[in-house]
């Protein structure tokens, strides 16, 4: 495993074509591979962050779901995650308003876990507890029952 670490950033960059592949299964598998590499060597995240943002808003819900789960995993397990929180957290917050309920639910659950849990694998990483109230407030504010608040106002509902 330590033999691959010097090559993780290069391998992650080599995944770029697969992350934009026409088939959603290929994009989903590429996200999974990317996360495995980023957990070993997070330095490529700065370069690949924009592509991860595109996957979090992919046309295929299976890819979006994989991306949201992957972002949550990176936030929970990535070394030096504090340095990458600002780059990753917006993807989870954006997923709170996804059109697919299971993706919204995954984002909400992930934020709740990140706000109050410790990294089980390392036990040395502090939780995002300082952000917990803000995360939960954002999650609650972004969660809705399928229609934007403007739609309820247009129907005369409150």
């Amino acid at each position: 495993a330590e033999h691959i670490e010097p090559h993780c950033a290069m391998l992650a960059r080599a995944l770029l074509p697969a992350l934009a592949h026409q088939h959603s299964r290929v994009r989903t598998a590429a996200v999974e591979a990317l996360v495995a590499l980023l957990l070993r060597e997070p330095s490529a995240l700065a370069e690949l962050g924009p592509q991860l943002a595109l996957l979090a808003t992919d046309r295929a819900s299976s890819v979006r779901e994989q991306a949201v789960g992957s972002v949550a995993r990176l936030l929970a397990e990535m070394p030096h995650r504090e340095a990458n929180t600002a780059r990753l957290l917006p993807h989870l917050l954006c997923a709170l308003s996804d059109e697919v309920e299971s993706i919204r639910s995954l984002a909400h659950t992930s934020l709740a876990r990140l706000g109050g849990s410790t990294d089980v694998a390392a036990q040395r990483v502090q939780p995002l507890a300082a952000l917990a109230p803000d995360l939960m407030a954002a999650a609650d504010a972004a969660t809705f029952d399928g229609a934007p608040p403007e739609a309820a106002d247009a129907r005369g509902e409150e």
Side-chain angles (χ1 to χ4, degrees):
E2 66 260 2
H3 301 292
I4 196 170
E5 287 180 13
H7 307 288
C8 284
M10 180 184 63
L11 290 169
R13 284 189 292 278
L15 283 172
L16 279 174
L19 293 171
H21 195 275
Q22 68 180 4
H23 297 296
S24 62
R25 288 183 184 175
V26 174
R27 293 192 307 274
T28 300
V31 170
E32 192 174 332
L34 176 64
V35 169
L37 291 168
L38 288 173
L39 287 172
R40 287 233 166 255
E41 179 52 54
S43 66
L45 183 62
E47 183 179 343
L48 298 172
Q51 188 63 36
L52 196 55
L54 289 175
L55 293 167
T57 59
D58 194 271
R59 66 186 176 275
S61 62
S62 60
V63 175
R64 291 195 312 273
E65 189 166 3
Q66 178 71 33
V68 169
S70 296
V71 166
R73 183 173 176 207
L74 288 171
L75 281 167
E77 300 175 20
M78 181 180 273
H80 312 293
R81 71 177 181 189
E82 298 82 10
N84 295 302
T85 298
R87 186 171 281 119
L88 294 170
L89 191 58
H91 304 311
L92 279 184
L93 295 174
C94 183
L96 291 170
S97 61
D98 194 277
E99 64 191 36
V100 177
E101 193 281 325
S102 63
I103 295 173
R104 290 192 310 265
S105 178
L106 175 61
H108 194 278
T109 302
S110 297
L111 286 167
R113 286 185 183 142
L114 288 168
S117 68
T118 60
D119 184 350
V120 176
Q123 291 299 322
R124 59 179 166 72
V125 178
Q126 293 299 313
L128 297 172
L131 295 176
D134 294 335
L135 290 175
M136 293 315 299
D140 291 338
T143 303
F144 58 89
D145 296 327
E150 306 87 73
D153 293 342
R155 292 189 307 260
E157 300 174 9
E158 293 189 43

